[in-house]
Each structure stands twice: as structure tokens, then as C-alpha cells.
Amino acid sequence: MNQMMTTTVVMGGLAPQPTMSHDEALVEAHRCLMCWDAPCTRACPTTIDVPGFIKRIANDDLLGSARTILESNILGASCARVCPTEVLCAGACVLNDLHERPIDIGRLQAYATDDVVFGDIELSVESVQSGASVGVVGAGPAGLSCGAELAKLGHAVVLYDARRQPGGLNTYGVANYKMDMATSLREVEFVQGLGVEIRTSTAVGTDVSVGQLSADHDALFLGVGLGSVPPLGLPGEDLGGVGDALDFIADVRAGKVDLVGERVAVIGGGNTAIDAVSQASRLGAERVYLVYRRDRDEMKAYPHDIERALSSGVEFIHWSAPIRIEGEGSVSALVCERTEYSSDGDLVSVPDSEYRIPVTMVLRATGQEKRVGFLDQFDGVETDHGGRVVVDDAFRTGNPGIWAGGDCVNGGKEVVNAVAHGKAAAMSIDAALRAAAGK
Ligand SMILES: Cc1cc2nc3c(=O)[nH]c(=O)nc-3n(C[C@H](O)[C@H](O)[C@H](O)COP(=O)(O)OP(=O)(O)OC[C@H]3O[C@@H](n4cnc5c(N)ncnc54)[C@H](O)[C@@H]3O)c2cc1C
């Protein structure tokens, strides 16, 4: 049972283009002030030692730098690409206070991790096999992070995912211009190299029962994320060309979408809406509209992503709510009415303000539904009034053998938050398994 195991991960070939040249990275690394209290580290949900990894880049110790990052965040390579660094680590950089450009932490992090995660530099991990087995539902960032940490701690780990490919929204949801599907899948291979088994096309509750899962494993982690964007209940929503913005992004990532000559309207004001309009405009759509019922400063999407969408030609239509979709067989127009705040502060429609936007495609990006029905199958796992899984500080649910993390717990945040949850849950699962085994 207590067998010592050394896992060596070697990834060859197919490395993506380096995100920074060696000289560029050295110059940028030497700009870092190496602050002792590192506000950048405190701003990172996975508390990566940012000055530490940058110092190692400056000293030309790339493996040491990658190790520093990956010890805190096993998905450090994808976080380097998808994290909203402007509001996290780089947003906290003290150079901002000195009216200087903050350190480009995201690109330095990609530079440091690329050769280990996608290239041929080896990362050795030594672990003592515990003999315990953990089942992880969902191979998205939360599940991958939890699984990788548990594997490093010597536990056997099986990840189950309903989709054909692992990686969750890193593979299917995040916009292509931040990270493509191939990069996400390469990072998953790196995690598998740590000893994590992944069973794809295996939906828990359908292909494998909850009872079977509980019988097969000593502990469970739920990293099931959120569901699809539900219909808005608008007349005409069943017309061809109307759909879920998440399915659209997944199709774009699979190379299945041609938008030349299309006029696309995306309904919503969050990150999904912004990613969908940005993708649509980059794919050559004739006109791309973002339709949102409130003002720009009330949008949940990040300001830098909003600016990027605006600069790529997306037309923002504020103070507008859709009331029906018109067309014969397929959509020809989105009909909206104007909105405003009443004197009581409620959002109301403006009388007689109806107008039509001629479009050939309408995408809903109005919020993903929670997986409450699925979660109800697990005894003792409770959800709050918003459909989020209730967990304690160690990410343990009301069932002492089940932990949860990621979007299904926080209702939808960032990849780095899901990674942080997975890591914290893994530490708690490890402690519980060792306590149960009297170790
Ligand atoms: C359009 C969009 C763009 C985004 N862009 C960014 C970004 O740029 N940067 C950023 O940091 N974050 C971004 N996010 C948020 C980020 O993607 C999520 O916070 C993160 O993926 C959450 O990870 P997770 O593992 O909790 O869930 P997910 O990534 O959703 O993974 C959950 C996994 O569980 C699987 N699953 C569900 N039910 C079952 C079942 N019954 N059996 C087996 N498997 C199951 C699913 O197939 C999925 O693979 C974006 C989100 C969206 C929707």
C-alpha cells in the first residue's frame, strides 16, 4: 500500500508558439520590484509566489520558475492565458501606483510554464501511494485541480466527464482568442501525466450511477460547473438561428462556424455575451450587436473585454430588452423594447418603444442554470436558494464523504477560483482519508 512512486511528466512536440521571447521575458522580469509583501500574490486566489517565479525567470531558472507556479496552481499555464490579470495580480502591481505599466504577469507566467506543460522539460513528483481512491465528477478546472493535487498526494483518482473531451469550459467555453481547444487539451494531458485517470463521455447519473460511484471510491469531489443557458420564453425562440451562446462558442472552438454575411445579436451583459460577440466579429459576421437592458457600467463583463469587443466593431445596444423573435423557419429580426429605471429604481419598459433589429442569428447569454436536479441525487448535498452547493471552509458538503468546488459552488467565477477550490478540497480530502486510515 505504502509504495513510493515517482511520476515524470514529459511532454514532447507540438509546443505552442512561445508567448514571450527569452530577451523580452528577461527585460520584463527585471522590471519587477520583488515587493516583500507582494500584493500580486495576495490578489491571486491560488496565491502563486509571483515575485518568486519572476525572480527565477530573471536568473534563467525556467524549471524552478515553472515549479513555483505549478506547486500553487497546477493549471498555471491556462490561468496565464485566461485570468483577468488586469483585475487580479497585475491589477495589484505596485507599479500602477507609481503610474507605470504593471508587470505583464500573465505573459511571464505563460513563458515560465510553457516548456514544462507543453514542451519537453520534465517535472518529477514523488508520492507515497495511500491505497485510497477518489472519484471526481467533472474534468473542468475544479476537478482537474482537485484530481492533480490528490494524485500528487498519492491517492488513486478517477475523473468522470459527460463531454467527449475533458477540460470543462477551458476546452469548450473560454474564447478562442484567449486560449484554443488544443492548448486546453494539452494541459489536460499534462495533468493525466501526474497519474490522474479521466473517463470522458461518462455522465454520472446516466452512464454511471451515483450509487456505483459511491461504492467505487472512498471520497467524492463534485466539480460539475453550471448547465446551459435556459430559453427566455420569447415568442419565436424555436426559430432556426436562435440558440445558446455557450453552444455557439463550443462550435466556434470546434471550427464548425462560418459567419460571413451573418447579422448576429447576443442578448446579455456578462462574460459569455462578451466572448460570443467578440468571437462573432472575429469570424467575419457582417454586423454584431450586444443587446443589454442596462447601461455599460452595469455590465458584469470585464472592462478590458468590453473595450476589446468595442474595438473589434461590436455594436452595443443598451437599455433594450428582447420581446420576440421574428422570421419564417429561421430568424429575420429581434424585436426589442426600450428599458429605463422608474423613480423607485425598478427596471421597467418604456411604453410604445418597440423596435426591430434585422438579424440572422440570436444568441442567449443571460446566465447558465444550476445543476440542482443532478445534485439532489447525492444524499446530504445541499444547495442554497441560488442553486449553489453549500460547503464549509474546507469545501466539504453536508455529506462527510463528498466535497465540491468551482462554478457549482460559487455560482460562476473564474478558472483560477475553480482551481483554488479544487486544491483546497484536495487538502481536506487527503486529511480526511489519512485520518480514516489512522495515518
Ligand atoms: C463563455 C465563458 C467564458 C469564460 N471566460 C473566462 C475567462 O476568460 N477567464 C476565466 O478565468 N474564466 C472564464 N470563464 C469562467 C470559467 O470558465 C469557469 O469559472 C470555470 O471553467 C469553472 O470550472 P469548473 O470546473 O467549476 O466548471 P466547468 O469548467 O464548467 O467544468 C465542469 C465539468 O463537469 C462536467 N459535468 C457536468 N455534469 C456532469 C455529470 N453529471 N457527469 C460527468 N461530468 C459532468 C462538464 O461536462 C464539465 O466538463 C468563462 C465562462 C464562460 C461560460
Side-chain angles (χ1 to χ4, degrees):
M1 287 284 201
N2 281 348
Q3 196 188 340
M4 179 72 104
M5 191 178 89
T6 301
T7 312
T8 302
V9 187
V10 187
M11 304 297 301
L14 274 177
Q17 288 299 309
T19 45
M20 259 188 183
S21 69
H22 179 247
D23 288 352
E24 201 185 348
L26 280 185
V27 169
E28 191 64 6
H30 279 102
R31 286 182 63 235
C32 179
L33 301 179
M34 309 285 165
C35 308
W36 67 270
D37 61 342
C40 46
T41 293
R42 283 189 279 124
C44 173
T46 57
T47 57
I48 291 175
D49 175 5
V50 177
F53 92 72
I54 292 180
K55 190 171 202 162
R56 288 178 180 87
I57 292 176
N59 291 340
D60 251 343
D61 173 15
L62 224 51
L63 179 57
S65 182
R67 212 176 250 289
T68 303
I69 295 163
L70 297 171
E71 267 165 13
S72 291
N73 180 338
I74 199 71
L75 300 192
S78 58
C79 283
R81 291 164 172 78
V82 306
C83 261
T85 51
E86 295 86 344
V87 293
L88 294 173
C89 51
C93 177
V94 295
L95 290 178
N96 290 301
D97 300 333
L98 303 173
H99 303 291
E100 283 186 40
R101 182 173 61 80
I103 301 296
D104 199 345
I105 299 170
R107 289 180 68 226
L108 280 175
Q109 186 168 314
Y111 173 78
T113 47
D114 273 2
D115 284 346
V116 171
V117 178
F118 309 118
D120 52 12
I121 294 184
E122 297 177 10
L123 181 81
S124 296
V125 181
E126 286 196 349
S127 56
V128 177
Q129 295 303 288
S130 71
S133 167
V134 183
V136 174
V137 190
L144 287 168
S145 159
C146 184
E149 297 302 333
L150 286 166
K152 278 162 50 185
L153 290 162
H155 304 293
V157 184
V158 182
L159 266 64
Y160 301 84
D161 203 289
R163 301 199 77 144
R164 215 167 53 79
Q165 303 276 20
L169 289 172
N170 261 0
T171 299
Y172 289 102
V174 174
N176 246 1
Y177 61 88
K178 293 182 189 166
M179 184 174 67
D180 63 12
M181 196 181 244
T183 304
S184 168
L185 293 175
R186 289 299 309 281
E187 188 176 49
V188 174
E189 283 178 47
F190 165 73
V191 171
Q192 286 172 299
L194 297 168
V196 172
E197 181 188 340
I198 303 182
R199 295 185 194 162
T200 51
S201 303
T202 309
V204 171
T206 312
D207 300 312
V208 53
S209 71
V210 169
Q212 186 63 51
L213 202 69
S214 308
D216 287 352
H217 301 288
D218 302 299
L220 297 179
F221 174 80
L222 307 178
V224 290
L226 302 173
S228 49
V229 182
L232 296 166
L234 299 174
E237 216 170 336
D238 53 351
L239 286 166
V242 181
D244 177 338
L246 281 176
D247 292 339
F248 166 77
I249 293 170
D251 285 346
V252 169
R253 289 171 74 81
K256 291 188 201 162
V257 178
D258 176 8
L259 289 182
V260 175
E262 301 279 356
R263 301 164 70 97
V264 183
V266 178
I267 306 165
N271 287 316
T272 304
I274 280 291
D275 277 5
V277 289
S278 299
Q279 292 278 19
S281 76
R282 275 157 204 257
L283 281 169
E286 193 180 292
R287 302 284 287 268
V288 182
Y289 305 100
L290 181 141
V291 179
Y292 182 53
R293 56 195 173 151
R294 295 190 168 88
D295 211 352
R296 185 174 311 162
D297 58 9
E298 293 175 89
M299 290 176 66
K300 286 194 189 134
Y302 285 116
H304 56 271
D305 282 336
I306 293 174
E307 289 308 322
R308 203 178 282 143
L310 283 166
S311 66
S312 65
V314 174
E315 297 166 60
F316 282 43
I317 303 177
H318 289 282
W319 300 111
S320 287
I323 51 175
R324 68 176 178 278
I325 301 168
E326 292 178 346
E328 280 182 27
S330 61
V331 54
S332 61
L334 176 67
V335 182
C336 298
E337 61 185 3
R338 295 280 173 204
T339 51
E340 63 181 2
Y341 281 124
S342 68
S343 51
D344 297 337
D346 296 328
L347 192 71
V348 293
S349 28
V350 176
D352 302 322
S353 63
E354 193 174 308
Y355 71 100
R356 299 169 79 252
I357 312 171
V359 288
T360 55
M361 193 182 266
V362 174
L363 299 171
R364 294 183 300 271
T366 40
Q368 295 171 261
E369 60 194 353
K370 314 289 187 308
R371 300 193 192 271
V372 177
F374 169 73
L375 294 162
D376 281 347
Q377 297 178 59
F378 293 85
D379 276 349
V381 174
E382 288 170 16
T383 50
D384 65 13
H385 59 277
R388 292 170 294 228
V389 181
V390 178
V391 292
D392 65 13
D393 290 348
F395 295 91
R396 204 172 199 164
T397 69
N399 180 324
I402 304 180
W403 284 254
D407 280 3
C408 68
V409 164
N410 61 27
K413 281 196 170 176
E414 310 301 331
V415 169
V416 70
N417 301 101
V419 174
H421 287 192
K423 186 172 93 170
M427 299 307 153
S428 172
I429 294 170
D430 176 63
L433 291 174
R434 288 189 192 281
K439 291 175 192 163

